[in-house]
Amino acid sequence: MIRDDAEALRTAAELAEEFRPGASGRDVRRELPRAELDRLTATGLLAVTVPAEHGGADVSAATLAEVFRLLASADASLAQIPQSHFAYVNVVRQQGGPEQRAFFFGEVLAGRRFGNAQSEAGTKHLQDIRTRLTAAKDGSYLLTGVKNYSTGALFADWIPVLARAEDDLLHVAYVPADAPGLTVTDDWDGMGQRTTASGTVELADVVVPAAHVVPHHLTFTGPQLHGALAQLLHGAIDAGIAAGALAEAVEFVRTRSRPWFESGYETAAEDPLLVQRFGELDLRRRASDALLATAARAVDTARAHLDDDSAAEASIAVAAAKAYAGGAALEIADALFEVSGTRAALDGLNLHRHWRDARTHTLHDPARWKIQHLGRYVLNGTRPPRHGLL
């Protein structure tokens, strides 16, 4: 059990250093990080958002974001896997009934992992959810559909499934990973985040007790932080990728790069043009971290006093942090080659994994729409919509 925020941060920092040396090899071999995820789970880190009244550490959003940033600086795939876990722990917290909270928080405290079966391919748009939850005569439900990009499902004990009931309202059905009729296929072949196992989940008349179904649609009927918290963790992953890429560039230039012959210096690290570029990149990294911390504080402030205004402030702050961190991760991961030289492009060094991870992860949701909502808010005072992606 992790008792408080300070212990959560110490644990995350220690795990990041433990996971860092093997990250590149796991990426090259597409070796799923089962042992590392079990190690992460065993520390109790996946239970840190369980409310205090249920025995959890109930850490702040600021702490949780920093946990994800630290882990992603070491291994962006490994950090991505539990993102949905925390999002769906939060769904239980917000809309679960007393018995549901007691049961599922107990599961999390016991080391059970939540996965994700949310997105669907080939639909009209992201929120065109076609997976169906049909009421049965005995009071249970039947769940039918196909989910894609199901990060964490292959490693999960429980797979939260986003589905529409017969009234077309959104619910989350929490399904045991070994439920009859549920199939998880490891068919993810993305160029980046190779070891997240973000494959396909198929559901064929899976029986779900009513006690395992949460009315997620109620989340969006009033001020909410579901989207802000989920996006905050995505932003933290991007910030972590930026930090990891910059650290690798620093190490490479210090130890392996040759100085440009015109510089007149003995080492590449003394070249004033490289010094200037590293200063620019570190500025981007620092700004990304600062925006992330500001956004996390806004989420914590809104959680303490939730209303339309505080929820809007939190969503806008997170949108700014996510949009900026994504750009910073891409720029720094690309500049790694610019500052390091030709040798850095050798495939065997696998330095391109940072760019591949950044490019893949930043495709989750378009930064241009986050900028759009920022503009509407600052110019016209228009609050961001309540749809779970802000």
Side-chain angles (χ1 to χ4, degrees), residues 252-275 278 338-343:
F252 196 94
V253 170
R254 282 177 176 172
T255 61
R256 306 185 71 167
S257 293
R258 297 181 297 178
W260 184 244
F261 70 95
E262 292 178 287
S263 72
Y265 288 92
E266 290 296 316
T267 67
E270 296 173 285
D271 183 340
L273 297 182
L274 281 180
V275 169
F278 270 97
E338 170 199 335
V339 297
S340 300
T342 307
R343 191 182 307 179

Side-chain angles (χ1 to χ4, degrees), residues 344-365:
L346 294 176
D347 196 51
L349 295 176
N350 198 30
L351 295 178
H352 47 66
R353 74 184 183 281
H354 299 292
W355 185 88
R356 289 187 287 100
D357 285 341
R359 182 67 282 176
T360 301
H361 184 254
T362 52
L363 297 176
H364 274 82
D365 44 272

Side-chain angles (χ1 to χ4, degrees), residues 92-113:
V92 174
R93 180 174 188 150
Q94 299 305 314
Q95 298 301 336
E99 292 182 359
Q100 289 176 319
R101 291 190 188 116
F103 175 74
F104 283 114
F105 290 150
E107 288 288 281
V108 174
L109 288 169
R112 310 286 188 266
R113 293 191 289 253

Side-chain angles (χ1 to χ4, degrees), residues 84-85 88-89 113-118 147 156 158-162 172-175:
S84 292
H85 169 90
Y88 284 104
V89 169
R113 293 191 289 253
F114 289 173
N116 142 58
Q118 178 171 294
K147 297 291 188 175
W158 290 89
I159 301 177
V161 181
L162 193 62
V172 175
Y174 289 76
V175 182

